[in-house]
Amino acid sequence: MERIQQTDIDVVLEKAKNIDADFVGSFLDVNKIDSSLSLQEREAPIRKICRDILEKSNNEKHKTVVLDIILPKNFPAVGLTRIVTQEIYRLLKNGKALLERIIIAVDNKELLEVFEKEVYGYIHHLLKHLAGEPYCTVDAIIERPEGLVIIERSNPPFGWALPGGFVEPGESLEAAVVREAKEETNLDLEDLRQFHTYSDPSRDPRFHTIDTVFVAKGVGTPQSGDDAQNLKIVPYDKLLEGMYAFDHKEIIKTYLEQRK
């Protein structure tokens, strides 16, 4: 069991109909989402299903809600747990929610183990390690002669993105972006310079992040790692043709305008 503010969060191996609760929210509609779409395209509707259940139960002043989990076809279990946890955190973080207990009901042991590990671990990470919103993040615009280095995220928000991540306690922005770039792309950064800071509270669907973006030249052999499941170098004249996570397309657009 974990707790955010005054709300307890449990993961159980049980059929939702057998649980005594004020409200049961089914994830059945996730099966209506076209499984041939990319993870990025499927993430938003899955997130909305979870958010609608939580907000409905809270608005109707229920004390206990059950999330009747269904894993969508061809969708990673860890990705689903992150989305569910992020939406729970989003609702409860300001301490104004009326819910006293959220029960995540799963139908098989394998999914139970994933949810137990990810939900409790991720909540602990948000509450203990990152120390509250807004979170401080960094991203790198890594220049190569043939284009910019882009990574494909392995966790939600899914999609292609600039390499980057969270700043750790006791770490400077410059040290953080050098570390993240090395972990995700295997590249060292040269001629590092600060580009711009982005702080729109809606730029990240998980929570409020303040992102400082750097520009640098990438030195070494590109190779994906850590939270990046893939990597590619996109020619400068093709960069705006793709889909990106967060507000990274707007960041790249501004970079290209200034690069001219």
Side-chain angles (χ1 to χ4, degrees):
M1 180 183 293
E2 265 290 355
R3 170 172 288 216
I4 299 179
Q5 301 292 349
Q6 300 304 310
T7 305
D8 292 326
I9 303 164
D10 283 320
V11 181
V12 300
L13 179 61
E14 184 64 81
K15 292 186 180 298
K17 64 181 181 181
N18 296 332
I19 300 173
D20 183 19
D22 301 326
F23 182 77
V24 176
S26 174
F27 273 61
L28 187 61
D29 284 349
V30 297
N31 287 331
K32 297 179 181 179
I33 303 170
D34 187 352
S35 61
S36 67
L37 296 174
S38 69
L39 294 180
Q40 185 177 12
E41 292 170 316
R42 298 165 69 192
E43 178 183 338
I46 292 173
R47 191 178 291 277
K48 185 177 185 304
I49 289 170
C50 184
R51 185 176 301 178
D52 287 349
I53 292 171
L54 291 168
E55 290 183 348
K56 177 180 173 62
S57 60
N58 191 60
N59 291 340
E60 294 180 356
K61 300 182 179 180
H62 297 304
K63 298 298 183 183
T64 304
V65 60
V66 175
L67 302 181
D68 188 10
I69 299 296
I70 296 174
L71 181 63
K73 184 179 179 181
N74 299 327
F75 200 86
V78 171
L80 180 62
T81 65
R82 292 289 178 94
I83 291 172
V84 171
T85 308
Q86 289 161 9
E87 289 306 317
I88 290 174
Y89 179 77
R90 182 188 182 94
L91 177 72
L92 302 181
K93 63 187 177 183
N94 60 13
K96 296 180 180 179
L98 300 175
L99 287 166
E100 295 178 358
R101 190 181 184 201
I102 297 174
I103 303 171
I104 300 170
V106 298
D107 61 0
N108 65 76
K109 187 176 180 180
E110 291 75 20
L111 196 56
L112 174 73
E113 292 174 351
V114 173
F115 262 87
E116 283 184 328
K117 177 181 177 181
E118 290 296 323
V119 172
Y120 300 148
Y122 195 51
I123 290 175
H124 181 80
H125 177 63
L126 291 173
L127 296 179
K128 306 299 182 183
H129 295 169
L130 298 183
E133 295 184 66
Y135 299 124
C136 186
T137 63
V138 289
D139 282 306
I141 296 173
I142 303 179
E143 299 173 327
R144 299 278 287 190
E146 63 272 37
L148 293 188
V149 179
I150 305 296
I151 59 100
E152 185 177 15
R153 291 176 52 81
S154 58
N155 291 308
F158 291 116
W160 291 91
L162 298 169
F166 291 98
V167 179
E168 297 181 350
E171 189 176 42
S172 70
L173 297 177
E174 291 78 7
V177 76
V178 169
R179 172 182 55 77
E180 287 286 351
K182 187 67 173 180
E183 290 174 354
E184 294 189 345
T185 71
N186 193 45
L187 294 173
D188 296 311
L189 301 184
E190 287 188 355
D191 300 330
L192 183 70
R193 59 195 185 277
Q194 192 172 131
F195 178 64
H196 193 69
T197 297
Y198 297 83
S199 60
D200 185 339
S202 64
R203 64 175 300 277
D204 189 323
R206 303 169 297 178
F207 27 62
H208 186 187
T209 58
I210 296 177
D211 185 39
T212 301
V213 181
F214 290 82
V215 180
K217 290 180 170 53
V219 179
T221 303
Q223 181 178 335
S224 61
D226 196 37
D227 289 336
Q229 69 172 355
N230 203 354
L231 175 152
K232 64 182 177 181
I233 299 176
V234 181
Y236 291 100
D237 60 351
K238 303 292 184 182
L239 280 164
L240 297 182
E241 296 177 4
M243 292 177 60
Y244 295 91
F246 310 110
D247 54 356
H248 287 193
K249 189 166 190 173
E250 289 303 313
I251 294 173
I252 293 171
K253 181 179 179 182
T254 303
Y255 161 79
L256 290 174
E257 290 171 350
Q258 295 190 17
R259 184 173 181 268
K260 291 178 180 179

